[in-house]
Amino acid sequence: MSDIWPLIPAAIYLLFFFMLVMIALVTLSVTEGDLFPTFEPLQAILKNTEFYDALINTLIFVIIGTPLELIAGLFAALLVYNSFWGKTFIRSVFVIPFAFPGLVIATLLFILFDSQGGFANHLLQGQYSFFPKVIDHDVAWRGNKFLALSVSMLGKVWRDMPISMLIILSGLNSIEPELIDAAKTMGAGFRARLTKIILPLVFPAMTTVLLLRSVEMWKEFIFPYILAGNYPLLGTLIEKLYGFGSEPGEAAVVALILVGLTVLTLILIVEITGRIKRELVNSGVNS
Amino acid sequence: MADLVLKNIQKSYGNHPVIHGLDLHIKSGEFVTLLGPSGCGKTTLLRMIAGLEKIDSGELWIGGKPMQGLPAQKRPIGMVFQSYALFPHMNVKNNITFGLKIQKMEEHAIFSKLDWVIPLLGLEGLENRLPKEISGGQRQRVALARALVLDPEVLLLDEPLSNLDAALRELAMDELKRIHQEVGKTIIYVSHNQAEAMTMSQRIAVLNKGHLEQYAEPMRLYDEPASRFTAEFIGSPIANSYVGKLGTHDGLPVVQTAVGIIRISDRCMGHVSSAPKEIRVCIRPQDIHQLKNQVLTPYCSVFRVLPSLIETPGDRCLVIGKTNSGEAVRFFVDRVHTVVVGEPLDVFVSAEHVHLFNSENGKNILGEQI
Ligand SMILES: Nc1ncnc2c1ncn2[C@@H]1O[C@H](COP(=O)(O)OP(=O)(O)OP(=O)(O)O)[C@@H](O)[C@H]1O
Ligand SMILES: [Mg+2]
């Protein structure tokens, strides 16, 4: 017990600010003008179709974006891990997206995927010799819910992939090289080594990636804000309600729901990955 | 037949040569130890045989088939690593059956393999434990079991006993010998422990800085070391070593040293005239005996030493003494013999135990052309 005393100041600091924000948020969510306490903001949100839209959009964002980041990170990490030469160089190249603020990347994508002209449209219209002509007319990248959300999700995944990659890479690097050698001497080819040794051993790192990235996906703001202005996610909806709509109470309700969903997702991931891990340890002949 | 043949094997890391043109022929079913000090290239050699390390030049044959260009997973070898390298996420049973499942062996065949190897190595009751839940000795046996079930033609063992305590080590050595007798595999065993190598192997390859110093049966290494390195590396404590000059005394071959004139084997007679001026003389402490009332043959030389230190490590006492000329002499006496520090005594050595080496290249002069 005495070991935790040095941690107390940090704990108080964290708890204090967390509590402060949460209390303010809860208070705000039951305030409507001069009325306090009231469920009016909650009722308004539950009647708001835009909220349900945003909820579904965000859910799709989380369900597709989180595994996508895991897979992108895993592939990049495996590429760096298995590369014979220039390991440091390849790793640096992969880390570049993370060197820019999300706002910059989002703005870049905004320019590339402009609905009138823009690089993406020009490319698909066959204006560059290295790419075949695919479409005749400009695509309205931001005028279509599917395209707008896809572009913002890809932007998000591309920008944040380095974090996933670095986490998985450190997991890969902590695997004893002799384990791989042992697998080789026992007849395991590349595929067997990957699926039976490497992936199970980086599983904890992959779990970390899923946990961190799912939180990021739930609370994503900047990419959809810039690239999918007409199709809100929960993150952008909060801003919209608070700033543009002048409904701080409703914004607070959405924020609380977002917190709740995030926590729920984390619990779910811990539960599922725990089960998979037990499966991995016990799989095999009759055990 | 799974003879293993190495022909002129060379290996460098960068421009740092590690193995210099090594030749070795290991017969099918033989237990051979690669013995040498730390950093002499034993692990490197083993990894090259396994296909885990590239061979720069030379040939490697196993069972009459060339191994060049064959990746590790296709070679007929099994390996036990110095660190055991058990898969931490698999229980004992899955570690053992890993290679069998890769081969897509049928389940009933896998079970019969398990039924054979688990009692063979005394792993009953540990099947469902993870590697971190068993002891070092048990881990070593799992690593061995894992290699054995794959029925490789050659078993490569990289210092598998180095992490065990002395008692467990003896047990494991006996076990390994028993397993070798039982399964009859060709075994290449790496060690830097000469006592371990002497007890276990049929032949020992002594390595020094990537060169093969000698390749022979244990007793042969002990009795007829081909080089000064082997003489000093095999046997403990380290052999007495003196500078000497070959010559004759009353028409018999002798070597003159600071200790005195020492009679040498008649086989050296031919070298007396042609040998280099300076020679290195090595005599094991075990071969110097206290003179009491034994009848000495004409091949024995006697000299007087003054004991300065007596160590009693066990059943025998190691005496460290000095001759008149101040040269140190180490030898053993029985514990019952009362040797007293400061009281001079006579000791003798027989000619066949006096090993003579060329001072320049360290080779045994008997092996050299006259
Ligand atoms: N990957 C490597 N890169 C460069 N040099 C290496 C490498 N592996 C080994 N060496 C060098 O090669 C030499 C032989 O190493 P090796 O591991 O074969 O020695 P060893 O005989 O097994 O020693 P030990 O008894 O300590 O295990 C050493 O000098 C070592 O420094
Ligand atoms: Mg080694």
Side-chain angles (χ1 to χ4, degrees):
Chain A
M1 263 319 265
S2 61
D3 297 354
I4 66 165
W5 289 114
L7 299 176
I8 294 283
I12 290 173
Y13 178 84
L14 280 176
L15 215 63
F16 181 70
F17 281 101
F18 179 72
M19 293 303 281
L20 212 64
V21 170
M22 282 311 282
I23 290 167
L25 197 59
V26 171
T27 315
L28 199 58
S29 72
V30 287
T31 308
E32 175 75 53
D34 297 333
L35 270 139
F36 176 88
T38 169
F39 283 121
E40 257 176 50
L42 178 64
Q43 284 158 348
I45 282 299
L46 292 179
K47 273 190 232 135
N48 187 346
T49 53
E50 207 179 12
F51 165 71
Y52 293 102
D53 269 349
L55 184 64
I56 290 168
N57 290 346
T58 316
L59 199 63
I60 294 171
F61 225 69
V62 173
I63 290 177
I64 299 178
T66 311
L68 211 58
E69 270 209 23
L70 175 67
I71 292 167
L74 188 62
F75 269 95
L78 282 172
L79 205 72
V80 174
Y81 179 67
N82 284 309
S83 59
F84 238 47
W85 43 265
K87 228 172 230 206
T88 322
F89 175 74
I90 297 174
R91 195 181 53 203
S92 315
V93 169
F94 276 131
V95 176
I96 287 175
F98 200 63
F100 297 94
L103 183 61
V104 173
I105 306 276
T107 309
L108 262 173
L109 287 176
F110 186 89
I111 297 165
L112 291 175
F113 286 89
D114 205 342
S115 295
Q116 270 112 47
F119 175 78
N121 276 329
H122 287 162
L123 184 78
L124 293 173
Q125 283 165 357
Q127 294 193 11
Y128 300 96
S129 54
F130 61 86
F131 201 84
K133 184 177 159 114
V134 181
I135 51 171
D136 292 322
H137 304 287
D138 281 347
V139 172
W141 297 102
R142 286 184 287 283
N144 171 319
K145 178 168 155 180
F146 174 73
L147 287 179
L149 289 177
S150 297
V151 170
S152 45
M153 186 195 292
L154 288 180
K156 169 73 177 163
V157 168
W158 185 72
R159 153 111 205 314
D160 286 0
M161 179 277 288
I163 306 178
S164 316
M165 181 194 76
L166 289 176
I167 293 172
I168 293 174
L169 194 59
S170 75
L172 285 171
N173 285 332
S174 67
I175 297 178
E176 287 252 11
E178 284 207 336
L179 292 182
I180 311 292
D181 288 342
K184 282 186 197 166
T185 63
M186 294 165 79
F190 179 76
R191 227 182 98 156
R193 297 199 298 268
L194 183 67
T195 56
K196 300 221 160 71
I197 310 292
I198 294 175
L199 289 184
L201 288 178
V202 290
F203 193 74
M206 296 202 290
T207 306
T208 309
V209 167
L210 282 179
L211 289 173
L212 287 177
R213 295 293 91 196
S214 69
V215 175
E216 275 286 317
M217 285 294 166
W218 272 119
K219 74 180 181 67
E220 179 48 20
F221 175 77
I222 198 73
F223 281 87
Y225 184 73
I226 305 273
L227 296 164
N230 296 329
Y231 312 101
L233 301 186
L234 289 177
T236 45
L237 181 64
I238 293 168
E239 193 270 348
K240 192 172 170 187
L241 289 170
Y242 190 88
F244 185 74
S246 301
E247 292 286 358
E250 289 178 33
V253 169
V254 177
L256 278 177
I257 292 173
L258 185 55
V259 171
L261 288 171
T262 308
V263 172
L264 212 68
T265 310
L266 293 183
I267 293 172
L268 208 66
I269 291 176
V270 168
E271 184 57 37
I272 292 173
T273 52
R275 258 183 222 185
I276 295 177
K277 202 170 167 194
R278 261 170 274 140
E279 252 334 275
L280 280 177
V281 170
N282 294 323
S283 68
V285 179
N286 181 42
S287 38
Chain B
M1 293 304 271
D3 280 27
L4 188 138
V5 181
L6 299 171
K7 274 191 204 151
N8 197 19
I9 296 287
Q10 300 192 0
K11 173 78 187 173
S12 306
Y13 286 116
N15 48 16
H16 169 67
V18 179
I19 305 283
H20 315 262
L22 194 116
D23 293 297
L24 207 60
H25 186 148
I26 294 167
K27 287 192 230 120
S28 189
E30 206 172 11
F31 193 127
V32 166
T33 297
L34 303 179
L35 178 66
S38 185
C40 71
K42 305 179 295 289
T43 299
T44 306
L45 194 57
L46 214 58
R47 289 175 60 85
M48 287 195 290
I49 295 172
L52 298 170
E53 206 76 64
K54 216 178 127 284
I55 298 176
D56 288 349
S57 72
E59 292 171 32
L60 168 63
W61 299 75
I62 299 178
K65 293 189 202 85
M67 290 293 125
Q68 285 89 326
L70 214 57
Q73 59 264 30
K74 300 238 167 82
R75 296 196 182 186
I77 51 101
M79 184 155 172
V80 174
F81 291 80
Q82 198 161 351
S83 62
Y84 309 143
L86 297 183
F87 304 128
H89 60 296
M90 292 183 195
N91 62 23
V92 166
K93 192 195 296 174
N94 287 335
N95 262 287
I96 297 175
T97 56
F98 177 81
L100 301 173
K101 285 187 226 155
I102 298 272
Q103 291 179 353
K104 302 232 171 2
M105 184 180 268
E106 289 194 22
E107 224 168 87
H108 68 89
I110 294 184
F111 278 122
S112 60
K113 284 273 190 188
L114 281 173
D115 287 344
W116 167 71
V117 83
I118 284 180
L120 180 73
L121 292 177
L123 294 168
E124 296 98 335
L126 303 176
E127 292 93 333
N128 293 319
R129 304 248 195 109
L130 287 176
K132 65 173 182 221
E133 297 165 343
I134 57 178
S135 76
Q138 290 165 339
R139 272 177 222 158
Q140 182 232 329
R141 282 180 273 156
V142 174
L144 195 56
R146 194 170 72 165
L148 276 178
V149 289
L150 291 173
D151 206 21
E153 291 181 28
V154 180
L155 205 52
L156 308 169
L157 310 177
D158 192 357
E159 307 203 28
L161 309 187
S162 56
N163 295 343
L164 307 185
D165 65 55
L168 205 56
R169 203 183 171 104
E170 294 235 325
L171 221 67
M173 262 153 65
D174 286 345
E175 200 150 300
L176 213 52
K177 263 204 284 196
R178 175 177 65 82
I179 290 163
H180 177 242
Q181 277 160 11
E182 222 158 295
V183 301
K185 293 256 164 275
T186 309
I187 293 184
I188 305 182
Y189 185 91
V190 161
S191 176
H192 60 244
N193 180 326
Q194 51 95 15
E196 194 176 287
M198 296 289 278
T199 12
M200 300 223 284
S201 6
Q202 290 165 329
R203 280 202 282 177
I204 297 175
V206 180
L207 295 178
N208 179 27
K209 295 186 185 139
H211 293 280
L212 182 63
E213 290 277 338
Q214 191 170 4
Y215 181 38
E217 297 76 41
M219 274 305 118
R220 182 102 188 267
L221 286 183
Y222 190 85
D223 293 334
E224 299 167 35
S227 66
R228 181 180 171 193
F229 178 83
T230 310
E232 294 186 341
F233 196 72
I234 302 281
S236 162
I238 192 163
N240 296 292
S241 168
Y242 311 105
V243 177
K245 262 187 195 153
L246 289 177
T248 51
H249 187 79
D250 293 341
L252 298 169
V254 294
V255 61
Q256 290 176 343
T257 68
V259 178
I261 292 176
I262 303 173
R263 174 77 157 93
I264 56 176
S265 160
D266 292 336
R267 288 192 288 159
C268 303
M269 195 62 193
H271 293 268
V272 167
S273 48
S274 69
K277 294 198 170 40
E278 204 182 276
I279 205 124
R280 176 58 59 170
V281 183
C282 288
I283 307 170
R284 294 189 195 287
Q286 290 86 347
D287 294 330
I288 299 177
H289 305 283
Q290 187 177 2
L291 180 66
K292 286 175 293 166
N293 36 24
Q294 302 98 324
V295 182
L296 295 184
T297 67
Y299 289 103
C300 290
S301 320
V302 177
F303 35 95
R304 172 156 292 214
V305 294
L306 191 68
S308 57
L309 192 68
I310 299 171
E311 292 173 8
T312 313
D315 54 342
R316 291 176 305 175
C317 304
L318 175 68
V319 180
I320 299 165
K322 280 207 164 63
T323 59
N324 281 341
S325 58
E327 289 282 327
V329 180
R330 287 180 300 262
F331 60 98
F332 282 106
V333 294
D334 287 342
R335 222 168 34 181
V336 289
H337 291 184
T338 45
V339 175
V340 183
V341 171
E343 272 183 23
L345 73 154
D346 287 330
V347 296
F348 69 93
V349 61
S350 182
E352 76 262 28
H353 294 133
V354 180
H355 307 294
L356 304 171
F357 304 101
N358 184 322
S359 295
E360 274 143 35
N361 59 19
K363 295 264 180 283
N364 195 320
I365 61 159
L366 284 174
E368 297 196 319
Q369 296 297 318
I370 300 166

